Amino acid sequence: MTQTVTINVNGQVRALHLTPQASLLHVLRNDFELNGAKYGCGLGECGACTVLVDQTPARSCVIPALGVQGRTITTLEGLSLLNAQADPLHPVQRAFIDAQATQCGYCLNGMIMMTVALLLKNAQPSRQEILDTLSGNLCRCGAHVEILKAVELSIQYTMDLQSAKPKADVVNASSAPLSPTLKLGGSS
Ligand code: FES
Ligand code: FES
């Protein structure tokens, strides 16, 4: 039996007829045809499916789509909506490209969305806050050092954009060296 729900994804509002079992990830990929969020574990454990729900990161594979009526969903494809600059890419996306923080790329949606959410709350997170934020996101390829570099570059790019705005505060980004021994949780 289906129910009708109105879902707002990246500013696009659609009314859908869904069963209670339909996950938000399923709806994003199959109804909205947005494939940025990935299906990894399907159990809320790997972070590959992360999206923002009202700017809070959430694992879309375990969220019932019927439960997001009235909420604002932002996916990887919609990050430009959070970025008022001329660059169509969000500074975090630009940083991950410039840092070449990828091997297979399957985890990157989650890493990027978690970084965006972190920087929305705290423009200058510490190294420990970055590690804590990403510790629940798995990278099977072991690209952790490059991902950490990308997050630190994201801080710099975000601050650069803010400093370019009139009356914005100018604060230097963290330049602490990376440790080659750093590990994010769940790698194997
Ligand atoms: S696919 Fe959602 S947390 Fe792994
Ligand atoms: S780059 Fe392959 S899982 Fe992270």
Side-chain angles (χ1 to χ4, degrees):
M1 184 170 163
T2 62
Q3 297 179 44
T4 302
V5 61
T6 302
I7 300 182
N8 180 342
V9 180
N10 301 334
Q12 181 187 2
V13 180
R14 290 181 59 180
L16 299 170
H17 307 288
L18 302 172
T19 66
Q21 292 77 30
S23 70
L24 176 59
L25 178 62
H26 177 91
V27 168
L28 291 174
R29 293 181 62 86
N30 293 284
D31 294 289
F32 283 86
E33 299 183 345
L34 297 170
N35 295 323
K38 298 291 185 283
Y39 184 95
C41 63
L43 299 170
E45 294 182 354
C46 74
C49 64
T50 301
V51 299
L52 303 185
V53 178
D54 296 336
Q55 300 201 347
T56 297
R59 300 194 167 186
S60 60
C61 70
V62 290
I63 295 177
L66 292 179
V68 299
Q69 175 144 306
R71 316 292 291 274
T72 299
I73 312 300
T74 305
T75 70
L76 188 72
E77 294 89 343
L79 287 185
S80 59
L81 299 174
L82 303 176
N83 176 27
Q85 306 302 313
D87 189 341
L89 291 180
H90 189 280
V92 174
Q93 292 172 300
R94 180 67 64 197
F96 271 73
I97 291 171
D98 290 352
Q100 298 185 30
T102 183
Q103 289 189 37
C104 78
Y106 209 80
C107 68
L108 284 193
N109 171 73
M111 298 294 183
I112 289 172
M113 299 307 285
M114 291 299 293
T115 302
V116 168
L118 173 64
L119 297 186
L120 283 171
K121 286 192 309 184
N122 179 3
Q124 287 192 294
S126 67
R127 173 63 60 84
Q128 191 57 51
E129 288 170 324
I130 296 169
L131 291 173
D132 290 345
T133 296
L134 298 183
S135 64
N137 285 61
L138 307 188
C139 175
R140 295 288 172 183
C141 297
H144 306 112
V145 171
E146 290 76 15
I147 288 168
L148 285 171
K149 285 181 183 174
V151 176
E152 298 211 333
L153 197 56
S154 298
I155 297 169
Q156 179 187 322
Y157 284 1
T158 301
M159 298 306 293
D160 287 348
L161 281 176
Q162 291 181 355
S163 68
K165 292 179 185 174
K167 300 180 183 176
D169 291 332
V170 179
V171 183
N172 291 327
S174 168
S175 57
L178 286 163
S179 164
T181 59
L182 286 171
K183 292 255 189 304
L184 303 183
S187 65
S188 61

